[in-house]
Amino acid sequence: MVTTEISKYTMHFDKTNGWHMTSLVLSTLIFAAVTQEVRIGGIFHQGDEEQVRAFKFAIQRVNEAAEEDPRLMKLDLDIRYTSGNSTVNTTDETCSQLARGINAFFGPSEGLDAFALRSVANLHRVPLINVDWGGLNDQAGDLTVNFFPTLTSGPFLGQAILDLAVELKWRKLVVVYEEDDALIRLSELLHHSANVKDAVTFSVSLMKMKSEQYRRVLKRVKFSGFNFVIIDCRRESVPHLLENMLELQMLAGQYHYVFTSLDLFSMDLERYSEGGARLAVFHLVDPNDEYSLEVMNIWRDSSTIGPFANGTEYQLAGISTQSALTHDAIHALSHALSALNVSRDVTVKPAPCDSSRKRSANGVSLYDSLKNVDFDGLTGRVNFTRGLRTPPNLHLSTMVEGGLAKRGSWNASYGIYMEPIDVNSTHNINRTLRVTTVLENPYVMLRETEDGTPLIGNDQYEGYCIDLIRNIAEIVNFDYEIHLVADGEYGIEIPETGEWNGMVGEIMRGEADLALAPLTISFVREEVIDFSKPYMYLGITILYRFPEPQNPGVFSFLNPLAFDVWMYVVMAYLAVSLTVFLLARFSPYEWYNSHPCNPEYDQVENQFNLLSCMWFAFGGLMQQGSELNPKAFSTRVLSGFWWFFSLILVSSYTANLAAFLTVERMVSPIQSADDLVKQTEIQYGTRKGGSTETFFKRSEIPTYSAMWQFMSNTPNVFSDTYRSGIERVLNNKDFAFLMESTMAEYTISKQCRNLTQIGGLLNSRGYGIGVPRGSPLRDEITSAILKLQEDDVLLRMKNKWWKQGNCVRDESSKEDANELGVENIGGIFIVLVAGLVIGILVAIAEFIWKSKQNAEIDRVSTAFYSSSVLHIHEVGVENIGGIFIVLVAGLVIGILVAIAEFIWKSKQNAEIDRKSLCGEMMAGLRFACKCHGKKKPRMFPETKYQSPFTTSNGQMIALSDNVHMK
């Protein structure tokens, strides 16, 4: 150590030669101590001028600092050049440096010359300093120190880019790389992509390029639809890539780039910031730090300007990351030497490679001292963990107007951090946004002036969306220019080419910054562009013609009951009539003496023949009754059920008759999407190329998939625009149009007398504003929409454009009853006239028939009466079907009671006549089947009095109990 040697020599001369000699020696030693330098050997490739310049620049700054601080060591440099391919040449150069006395080597970390340099350094125990990425792995006894940050698990840059992609929710990205080393640098990103099972969630594609293939590879990226691009290339390739991207219009707002080069922070990128591309870079040097700014300014003052291939100049004056690492490495070496100089002499004596002199232990001590440095350098905090440089904070900068601006940082511990966007910052939006739209009432319409003066620019448009973008622009503070999309489409993917048309395509190609229209937010669109939060919620509905009032017919009084109900009533009437006739025949209690005052009269009579049964049933149905009254319990039970049936039926008919005769009915043939599927007369379609078509195409719901099957097989049902679809509905009563509910509401408000909405919503969705993927505009526009929603501005805007029409639908027909005309109830007059004619004809027939009978037989027959047809109101079986069940129950009960009566009377007569029960029952059945009239003869029994009589043929006759025999 120099100061120790000075003290030793001072004490020696004080004892022997006195003060004068002591002062002379002390001055000489101090001068030697101050001027002593430590030599550093630099090995560089031929043509690596920037690295040599950085090496000299760092040593110069260290020596300048040493002049101000005596504790620091001055450094002397010894620079040698190698071809990079010869280990012999590199070994000779390093040995010649060792012959001069070298404390440390500074050289490359890759190639044959790096291998030779490392071997010589380790053999002679001299520390080797690297600043390149991808140095050789540490080995036992190795004295290499690499100042490039590295994670213990691998390269840190790949992890930082992965965290950024996850933070920004990138799902489909491409890596364009120039050298195979990029796959190692991005290993964390590639491993994550390989481990994700769902390719939709996260997928990475790879494209390799060469210097002469920049343009071709960039075109592949453009036409492949990738919007998220990671570019790994040499620093020298960046200007050429940016120029090609500018020429191919790939620096537009829909593209997002991440350059793996840590050098872009120092480049002048103002030329490429006007297109609105989202470009992000990581860098070790903090351009906002005062110390970094000072070093960068000194470096820039001595830099040169390099030309582009196209002749334009590009600013290459900024310091590169490798130069910054060289600066920190030399300063770390100075700190390590100063710390080591406190305890020992750090000077190294010359020792050629072939020398037998043993190297001192200073090299190992210097290596250990280098691993213990800890200071803030140009590339962040410089310290080591387990032999590797601890990754400092990576700074994240993004492109703004004018160049790059710091946006966040990344750390191995906490990951990515991004500062929130200041909506009032001039770095955010300081340009005119291009807004693409499509004409669609009432969202975007052409404004017409009273005098017909043509308008230009944004003033030529009006509508809901125009008011919306005006309010958003005032909140977010930006200007905009509106233009109509060239093809008039909203945007779908063309299967043949994989490209998108319409507004979505313009956003993807960078031809527009915003898509402002009734643009439905869908999954397929969200894969290629971003959307704001919905500014309007809606669903798909069915637009159809308003049903026309039905013209009443003269037989409209028959409408209250359905046709099948009328048929059931007729069948019930006939069944009851026949059943009453049969029960009356079999029941003994329906036979009676027609001359009750003459008990000896030999004839009994039954009031129910077939025609009288029909008249009795018809009277009950008309609630008028008849002169016939059942006497047997069985016939009375059946009659009671028939009267109850008639009561409910007539009451239901009467209740519905008033509504059918006094109110005009407007019945639509379809009530829902299911009705559309089940019928074939009414066609239905939607707008071609819209989200509604995509919904039916992708739907797995049976009803909707069946609808798509019909539409896809009938191409003429698709309309090019909503307007043409609406016109088709107005002109064709057999066509329904599937469209968004909000547009349907607006159309109906203008055509309320002709159009109506059928059923509810088929789905739920929303309209949003489209922006390029990853655009910061999305969050700002979303915030503005939420603010407008909270302030009820959106509601007032909708009322303004949806309720400005004067169309009012006439609802009077539904509320007030109309007077009845001949067209309503004329049918009953026709029925009456038919009844008169039929009655006259039947009377004439009866007169002729009876006259013929009287001419042959002097006997009077029973007259027959005609009956008329019953007509009822349109009520379905599902409404009054229960009364038919009651009627059937009455029929069954009547039959069972009649059988019981028959058996009981047969038993009584069998006891009186002393016959068997079976004989009496067979005699009664024979009579009931053979008797065709209302009367039959009777015989008196031998007993003085009996209530039941038997005839000569054994038939049972029931008489009154108060009749006595003479």
Side-chain angles (χ1 to χ4, degrees):
M1 173 172 141
V2 175
T3 54
T4 305
E5 296 295 329
I6 292 175
S7 301
K8 181 174 66 173
Y9 285 116
T10 300
M11 292 178 62
H12 173 73
F13 284 110
D14 279 344
K15 294 179 180 179
T16 56
N17 298 318
W19 289 101
H20 293 287
M21 183 59 67
T22 302
S23 300
L24 178 61
V25 175
L26 179 61
S27 300
T28 303
L29 291 175
I30 291 176
F31 176 79
V34 171
T35 59
Q36 185 179 9
E37 295 178 342
V38 176
R39 184 171 287 107
I40 306 298
I43 301 295
F44 300 97
H45 295 157
Q46 292 288 346
D48 197 357
E49 298 300 332
E50 183 176 356
Q51 186 72 0
V52 174
R53 179 187 168 212
F55 186 63
K56 294 178 179 180
F57 177 77
I59 290 181
Q60 179 185 351
R61 286 187 52 83
V62 167
N63 291 338
E64 291 175 355
E67 291 179 358
E68 299 178 1
D69 188 354
R71 294 172 299 177
L72 298 178
M73 301 292 295
K74 281 191 174 184
L75 304 178
D76 185 19
L77 53 86
D78 185 348
I79 299 177
R80 304 296 176 93
Y81 294 94
T82 65
S83 62
N85 298 322
S86 174
T87 57
V88 176
N89 175 252
T90 304
T91 303
D92 292 340
E93 296 295 342
T94 53
C95 287
S96 62
Q97 287 181 330
L98 288 174
R100 297 188 60 192
I102 297 297
N103 287 73
F105 283 113
F106 185 95
S109 59
E110 295 179 314
L112 294 177
D113 52 351
F115 179 78
L117 174 60
R118 186 168 188 169
S119 299
V120 173
N122 290 334
L123 178 62
H124 295 275
R125 313 308 294 159
V126 179
L128 172 62
I129 298 175
N130 295 144
V131 293
D132 301 326
W133 175 85
L136 299 175
N137 296 330
D138 290 338
Q139 300 173 356
D142 190 11
L143 298 184
T144 303
V145 181
N146 196 332
F147 281 80
F148 195 94
T150 306
L151 292 174
T152 55
S153 59
F156 69 101
L157 189 58
Q159 184 63 50
I161 294 177
L162 173 60
D163 292 344
L164 178 63
V166 173
E167 175 70 18
L168 297 180
K169 298 180 181 179
W170 294 356
R171 291 179 292 188
K172 183 180 179 182
L173 50 91
V174 59
V175 174
V176 179
Y177 63 98
E178 193 173 18
E179 297 176 349
D180 293 338
D181 291 344
L183 303 180
I184 302 176
R185 281 190 289 271
L186 300 174
S187 58
E188 295 293 332
L189 179 72
L190 300 178
H191 288 163
H192 178 77
S193 174
N195 293 331
V196 175
K197 297 181 180 179
D198 187 3
V200 177
T201 303
F202 191 87
S203 64
V204 178
S205 300
L206 299 175
M207 292 186 186
K208 188 175 182 179
M209 64 179 176
K210 297 180 180 179
S211 57
E212 66 276 5
Q213 298 176 343
Y214 292 154
R215 195 176 190 86
R216 187 175 69 179
V217 173
L218 290 175
K219 284 184 177 180
R220 283 182 57 197
V221 172
K222 181 177 181 178
F223 294 116
S224 297
F226 288 105
N227 295 100
F228 304 100
V229 186
I230 298 174
I231 299 178
D232 186 288
C233 63
R234 294 175 291 108
R235 180 172 183 258
E236 295 78 11
S237 303
V238 172
H240 304 284
L241 269 173
L242 291 175
E243 280 299 315
N244 280 277
M245 291 160 63
L246 186 62
E247 294 174 2
L248 293 173
Q249 297 183 349
M250 294 182 64
L251 292 178
Q254 77 272 20
Y255 291 102
H256 301 258
Y257 298 100
V258 176
F259 280 83
T260 61
S261 174
L262 301 175
D263 299 326
L264 268 72
F265 76 97
S266 62
M267 294 184 179
D268 184 4
L269 302 181
E270 181 178 2
R271 170 180 169 83
Y272 311 103
S273 63
E274 298 179 357
R278 315 302 169 185
L279 189 147
V281 296
F282 286 101
H283 47 92
L284 289 170
V285 180
D286 185 3
N288 298 332
D289 181 69
E290 294 183 1
Y291 175 72
S292 300
L293 284 174
E294 177 187 355
V295 177
M296 291 169 62
N297 288 333
I298 297 174
W299 175 272
R300 187 178 292 110
D301 291 341
S302 59
S303 296
T304 59
I305 297 177
F308 272 129
N310 61 3
T312 61
E313 291 188 349
Y314 183 78
Q315 187 77 11
L316 288 173
I319 191 171
S320 67
T321 300
Q322 189 179 44
S323 299
L325 290 170
T326 302
H327 180 276
D328 286 348
I330 299 302
H331 276 71
L333 181 61
S334 177
H335 282 279
L337 288 170
S338 299
L340 191 62
N341 190 41
V342 176
S343 59
R344 67 178 66 189
D345 183 10
V346 296
T347 59
V348 177
K349 296 180 181 181
C353 293
D354 55 356
S355 175
S356 60
R357 180 184 299 177
K358 183 179 180 181
R359 294 284 298 182
S360 66
N362 283 347
V364 177
S365 300
L366 180 58
Y367 172 80
D368 294 335
S369 183
L370 278 171
K371 289 299 183 74
N372 292 324
V373 296
D374 190 356
F375 67 97
D376 290 322
L378 195 60
T379 58
R381 195 71 181 173
V382 180
N383 53 18
F384 292 84
T385 302
R386 288 178 292 190
L388 299 175
R389 167 130 184 230
T390 305
N393 289 344
L394 269 180
H395 306 285
L396 173 65
S397 294
T398 57
M399 179 77 79
V400 296
E401 189 159 349
L404 293 172
K406 186 177 178 180
R407 174 73 189 282
S409 61
W410 176 88
N411 184 276
S413 301
Y414 59 75
I416 197 75
Y417 167 74
M418 301 187 69
E419 298 175 357
I421 298 175
D422 182 8
V423 296
N424 298 318
S425 173
T426 57
H427 294 291
N428 182 24
I429 300 176
N430 191 20
R431 60 191 180 91
T432 300
L433 300 180
R434 298 162 298 175
V435 180
T436 180
T437 188
V438 63
L439 291 178
E440 204 70 73
N441 296 342
Y443 299 94
V444 180
M445 302 176 290
L446 292 176
R447 177 181 293 176
E448 298 179 358
T449 58
E450 296 180 357
D451 57 357
T453 304
L455 301 174
I456 60 174
N458 297 341
D459 295 335
Q460 62 183 316
Y461 304 106
E462 65 176 355
Y464 178 90
C465 287
I466 305 303
D467 291 348
L468 176 64
I469 193 63
R470 184 183 303 115
N471 284 278
I472 293 176
E474 292 177 357
I475 297 175
V476 184
N477 190 21
F478 63 83
D479 297 327
Y480 59 92
E481 293 180 354
I482 302 176
H483 70 271
L484 297 177
V485 62
D487 56 9
E489 299 292 339
Y490 285 82
I492 61 171
E493 186 178 7
I494 303 174
E496 293 79 9
T497 62
E499 298 181 359
W500 286 71
N501 64 1
M503 293 181 291
V504 177
E506 286 196 358
I507 292 291
M508 294 178 61
R509 294 189 298 269
E511 300 171 5
D513 301 303
L514 298 178
L516 178 71
L519 186 62
T520 305
I521 302 173
S522 63
F523 173 76
V524 291
R525 287 175 178 168
E526 189 108 40
E527 286 188 319
V528 293
I529 65 173
D530 281 345
F531 283 94
S532 66
K533 292 295 183 182
Y535 63 81
M536 184 178 294
Y537 292 91
L538 63 145
I540 298 175
T541 190
I542 304 173
L543 184 70
Y544 191 62
R545 285 187 59 174
F546 193 78
E548 299 177 356
Q550 295 180 345
N551 295 324
V554 293
F555 291 97
S556 58
F557 65 89
L558 296 176
N559 293 335
L561 292 182
F563 177 78
D564 54 347
V565 175
W566 283 114
M567 293 297 99
Y568 294 148
V569 170
V570 171
M571 289 186 292
Y573 163 73
L574 296 176
V576 169
S577 300
L578 181 61
T579 305
V580 170
F581 172 73
L582 294 176
L583 293 181
R585 287 282 148 180
F586 282 99
S587 176
Y589 296 102
E590 286 296 343
W591 296 96
Y592 64 94
N593 185 3
S594 59
H595 296 81
C597 295
N598 184 9
E600 297 180 357
Y601 188 68
D602 61 350
Q603 295 287 333
V604 289
E605 188 174 341
N606 194 322
Q607 61 180 339
F608 288 108
N609 59 18
L610 186 59
L611 291 179
S612 61
C613 288
M614 297 179 66
W615 175 250
F616 170 76
F618 187 75
L621 185 61
M622 295 289 101
Q623 293 188 331
Q624 299 300 318
S626 66
E627 72 281 4
L628 302 174
N629 290 309
K631 294 180 173 58
F633 182 70
S634 59
T635 53
R636 287 180 178 179
V637 168
L638 179 57
S639 299
F641 278 93
W642 173 246
W643 291 338
F644 177 77
F645 168 84
S646 302
L647 173 66
I648 301 301
L649 181 67
V650 173
S651 299
S652 301
Y653 174 83
T654 305
N656 264 6
L657 181 63
F660 271 83
L661 295 182
T662 60
V663 178
E664 290 183 347
R665 302 182 66 213
M666 289 174 277
V667 180
S668 175
I670 55 173
Q671 300 296 331
S672 64
D674 293 328
D675 295 340
L676 278 176
V677 175
K678 294 175 182 177
Q679 56 82 45
T680 57
E681 295 182 359
I682 301 176
Q683 292 186 332
Y684 48 90
T686 185
R687 189 185 191 279
K688 181 169 55 178
S691 60
T692 303
E693 178 188 3
T694 305
F695 166 77
F696 285 103
K697 184 187 298 184
R698 298 170 63 93
S699 178
E700 297 181 358
I701 300 175
T703 299
Y704 302 155
S705 61
M707 295 175 69
W708 172 249
Q709 185 75 19
F710 167 79
M711 290 187 287
S712 60
N713 294 332
T714 315
N716 64 330
V717 299
F718 291 101
S719 303
D720 294 331
T721 62
Y722 283 114
R723 184 184 299 274
S724 60
I726 295 170
E727 290 294 332
R728 187 170 180 180
V729 174
L730 289 171
N731 299 327
N732 186 357
K733 66 178 181 179
D734 292 331
F735 183 77
F737 192 59
L738 303 165
M739 62 187 304
E740 276 81 3
S741 58
T742 52
M743 289 188 179
E745 292 171 5
Y746 174 78
T747 304
I748 293 172
S749 68
K750 299 292 185 181
Q751 301 279 347
C752 62
R753 293 185 178 90
N754 301 320
L755 298 174
T756 186
Q757 182 175 328
I758 300 298
L761 301 181
L762 306 187
N763 68 343
S764 179
R765 54 179 58 186
Y767 287 154
I769 298 178
V771 298
R773 290 298 301 271
S775 172
L777 290 171
R778 179 188 62 180
D779 296 335
E780 299 166 27
I781 293 175
T782 294
S783 299
I785 290 175
L786 294 177
K787 185 178 187 303
L788 294 175
Q789 187 176 14
E790 292 176 358
D791 296 340
D792 291 335
V793 176
L794 297 182
L795 180 60
R796 292 196 298 269
M797 287 167 49
K798 185 173 182 181
N799 292 335
K800 170 186 175 182
W801 293 103
W802 265 259
K803 297 184 179 181
Q804 62 178 352
N806 298 321
C807 182
V808 179
R809 183 177 294 166
D810 185 12
E811 302 289 347
S812 60
S813 63
K814 296 183 180 181
E815 299 176 359
D816 302 326
N818 299 328
E819 62 181 9
L820 298 179
V822 177
E823 67 276 5
N824 299 104
I825 57 174
I828 61 176
F829 293 96
I830 297 177
V831 173
L832 179 60
V833 171
L836 293 174
V837 173
I838 293 174
I840 293 173
L841 294 177
V842 171
I844 295 174
E846 288 179 338
F847 177 77
I848 296 173
W849 176 256
K850 282 299 179 182
S851 297
K852 181 181 179 181
Q853 285 185 332
N854 291 337
E856 296 176 355
I857 305 173
D858 190 15
R859 190 185 319 176
V860 179
S861 302
T862 305
F864 295 92
Y865 298 90
S866 64
S867 60
S868 56
V869 182
L870 182 63
H871 303 277
I872 317 181
H873 161 30
E874 185 171 343
V875 175
V877 177
E878 64 277 3
N879 304 109
I880 58 173
I883 61 176
F884 290 95
I885 298 176
V886 173
L887 180 60
V888 171
L891 292 174
V892 174
I893 294 174
I895 293 172
L896 294 177
V897 172
I899 293 173
E901 289 177 339
F902 177 74
I903 295 174
W904 175 254
K905 281 300 179 181
S906 297
K907 180 181 179 182
Q908 288 181 335
N909 291 335
E911 293 176 353
I912 295 173
D913 295 340
R914 295 181 180 179
K915 293 182 179 180
S916 66
L917 177 61
C918 293
E920 286 292 333
M921 293 177 63
M922 292 301 298
L925 287 174
R926 283 194 299 272
F927 171 78
C929 295
K930 292 180 180 181
C931 181
H932 301 288
K934 296 176 59 178
K935 297 181 179 180
K936 61 182 180 180
R938 74 177 223 197
M939 291 183 62
F940 294 97
E942 296 178 356
T943 57
K944 181 180 180 180
Y945 168 79
Q946 66 180 28
S947 179
F949 282 82
T950 57
T951 61
S952 58
N953 59 0
Q955 173 63 43
M956 300 176 295
I957 304 299
L959 299 179
S960 176
D961 290 340
N962 56 4
V963 178
H964 299 277
M965 304 300 297
K966 292 182 180 180

